């Protein structure tokens, strides 16, 4: 019903930067919020950043001041600008969209994109 296509992952040196994108398509009329999660091997999937109801933004403490969430509504796309990257940022990053279908809350996920921070 909703498809999320991610791009921008890759290998980067510590202190470097990457910009991830996530384009939404399909039944996008029911989406009311979007954001990013990440999951390292053997770890749980954790929130990185997301837009909230009312147009606000929230960030995990570990990325505040380094990561920036933005969006282009005309393109149905969100972005994650990641600066001052650290090895502990290494993970698979997943785009998330929340919506409502027939009164039922739904969560949609992208396929994930690998981010590796290493010297």
């Amino acid at each position: 019903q909703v498809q999320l296509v991610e791009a921008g992952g890759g290998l980067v040196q510590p202190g470097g930067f990457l910009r991830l994108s996530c384009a939404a398509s399909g039944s996008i009329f029911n989406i009311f919020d979007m954001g990013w999660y990440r999951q390292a091997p053997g770890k749980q999937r954790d929130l990185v950043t997301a837009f909230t109801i009312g147009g606000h933004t929230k960030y995990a403490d570990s990325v505040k001041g380094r990561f920036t969430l933005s969006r282009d509504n005309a393109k149905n796309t969100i972005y994650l600008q990641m600066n001052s990257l650290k090895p502990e940022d290494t993970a698979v990053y997943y785009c998330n969209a929340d919506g409502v279908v027939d009164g039922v809350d739904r969560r949609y996920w992208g396929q994930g994109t690998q981010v590796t921070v290493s010297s």
Side-chain angles (χ1 to χ4, degrees), residues 33-97:
D33 202 2
M34 295 183 70
W36 294 91
Y37 288 69
R38 67 184 181 185
Q39 185 170 22
K43 301 293 192 296
Q44 66 181 24
R45 186 175 299 185
D46 292 327
L47 172 73
V48 177
T49 180
F51 292 108
T52 62
I53 296 175
H56 302 290
T57 309
K58 59 183 178 182
Y59 293 90
D61 289 340
S62 59
V63 307
K64 287 181 179 177
R66 299 188 298 120
F67 291 10
T68 303
L69 174 67
S70 63
R71 63 183 166 195
D72 185 336
N73 289 332
K75 297 180 179 180
N76 296 310
T77 300
I78 65 169
Y79 304 90
L80 181 63
Q81 180 67 46
M82 304 184 294
N83 298 327
S84 302
L85 283 162
K86 305 175 181 179
E88 50 263 45
D89 294 318
T90 296
V92 177
Y93 284 70
Y94 295 92
C95 181
N96 160 251

